Amino acid sequence: MCRHLAFLGPPTSLADLLLAPEHGLLTQSWAPRHQRNGLMNADGFGAGWYAPGHAVPARYRRAVPMWADSSFADVARVTTSTAVLAAVRSATPGTTPDEAAAAPYTDGRWLFSHNGRVDGWPRSVETLAASLPPVRLLGLEARVDSALLWALVQERLAAGSSAPEALAAVVQDVSARTTGRFNLLLTDGTTIAATAAGDTLCWRRDGSGTVVASEPSDDGPGWHCVPDGSVLTATREHVHVGPIASARTGHASAQDGAAQDSAAASRSSSSSVL
Ligand code: GLN
């Protein structure tokens, strides 16, 4: 299982967000604390971020461990952003080992990551793959289960689903055909959507911004972990957690009102254990 993180907040350097925290993504690449499968995440990494004046995010990916790329550390030191999605990878056997398979995947403003695996891929999901327009299959970023999940999410987004609806629908569609772990993470730089489906998912929202991550970056206060089977929608102001099942019918859409968001967030907080 990989580890991933998305951030929305005041301008923050990639180094402060990913490298400096005691248990941040850099440390999680060799010593994750809550990872349920796999020991470390040394098969590559990636970061995508939004820069002022550019609608399309920048992306930096490598096939080496995050700790082995001193050039990234130097660039991260001076690169600030208000919206970031990053991941460290533990490659699923049989998938592309190069940087094309490292998250985040992109399409226009979107950045996407998958933390998990599709058991029996690609056979187990061939009917879903066959339902995609050929151009989506031809456009897969790499030969990896995560790229197929991204194509399925893209198709839902293109058909008008909101981000949480698209993620929830894809988790349900794939779960109906096979087992696996389907923690998905998606942002357009304004909203974060994420699923907890087989692995850990936590969030924190405070003055330094909103972070949604596979696991807490530090032992500070304010972290909440969501129950398995949840879909989360986050902005700088609100975090909303609901069941994947109801997201598909639109009950957990990004358009939910502030009152509902706050109520849901505090319900999720009180039921969270960390
Ligand atoms: N299956 C994906 C890959 O191979 C994600 C792996 C993971 O979460 N460890 O990259």
Side-chain angles (χ1 to χ4, degrees):
M1 295 295 281
C2 310
R3 305 275 84 182
H4 55 203
L5 174 152
F7 163 82
L8 298 173
T12 303
S13 79
L14 298 185
D16 283 347
L17 194 62
L18 309 175
L19 310 182
E22 188 181 358
H23 298 284
L25 217 54
L26 173 62
T27 307
Q28 289 168 32
S29 66
W30 54 271
R33 295 189 294 173
H34 298 268
Q35 191 161 322
R36 293 181 183 157
N37 293 274
L39 293 177
M40 54 168 61
N41 302 289
D43 299 321
F45 71 96
W49 65 93
Y50 298 81
H54 294 269
V56 173
R59 179 170 66 160
Y60 183 104
R61 298 185 296 170
R62 295 296 306 279
V64 299
M66 190 183 245
W67 72 75
D69 187 347
S70 56
S71 293
F72 177 67
D74 208 37
V75 169
R77 187 172 56 83
V78 298
T79 304
T80 60
S81 181
T82 57
V84 177
L85 190 151
V88 291
R89 183 179 185 216
S90 169
T92 298
T95 61
T96 301
D98 61 42
E99 74 180 40
Y105 303 111
T106 57
D107 179 17
R109 280 193 65 77
W110 297 107
L111 293 170
F112 172 84
S113 171
H114 166 223
N115 172 193
R117 60 177 282 159
V118 177
D119 292 342
W121 172 88
R123 272 260 179 259
S124 58
V125 283
E126 66 179 331
T127 54
L128 274 181
S131 72
L132 287 170
V135 69
R136 288 259 182 246
L137 290 174
L138 291 170
L140 286 189
E141 291 209 37
R143 192 179 178 282
V144 58
D145 52 358
S146 311
L148 177 63
L149 296 180
W150 175 221
L152 294 166
V153 170
Q154 286 174 281
E155 196 60 20
R156 293 265 173 195
L157 293 171
S161 294
S162 70
E165 287 169 354
L167 298 191
V170 169
V171 170
Q172 289 186 305
D173 287 347
V174 177
S175 302
R177 287 163 176 84
T178 186
T179 52
R181 299 182 293 278
F182 315 117
N183 280 40
L184 310 180
L185 184 63
L186 179 66
T187 187
D188 61 357
T190 306
T191 301
I192 297 168
T195 55
D199 208 321
T200 53
L201 182 73
C202 306
W203 61 272
R204 179 167 70 186
R205 193 179 67 78
D206 58 21
S208 59
T210 301
V211 174
V212 178
S214 304
E215 58 182 68
S217 309
D218 56 46
D219 290 328
W223 286 102
H224 308 284
C225 289
V226 310
D228 199 53
S230 299
V231 60
L232 174 152
T233 310
T235 62
R236 284 174 73 152
E237 289 79 28
H238 304 292
V239 176
H240 177 212
V241 179
I244 284 174
S246 57
R248 191 167 193 170
T249 53
H251 296 145
S253 75
Q255 284 75 45
D256 284 351
Q260 187 185 343
D261 283 354
S262 307
S266 60
R267 269 202 307 282
S268 128
S269 311
S270 55
S271 64
S272 299
V273 180
L274 183 64

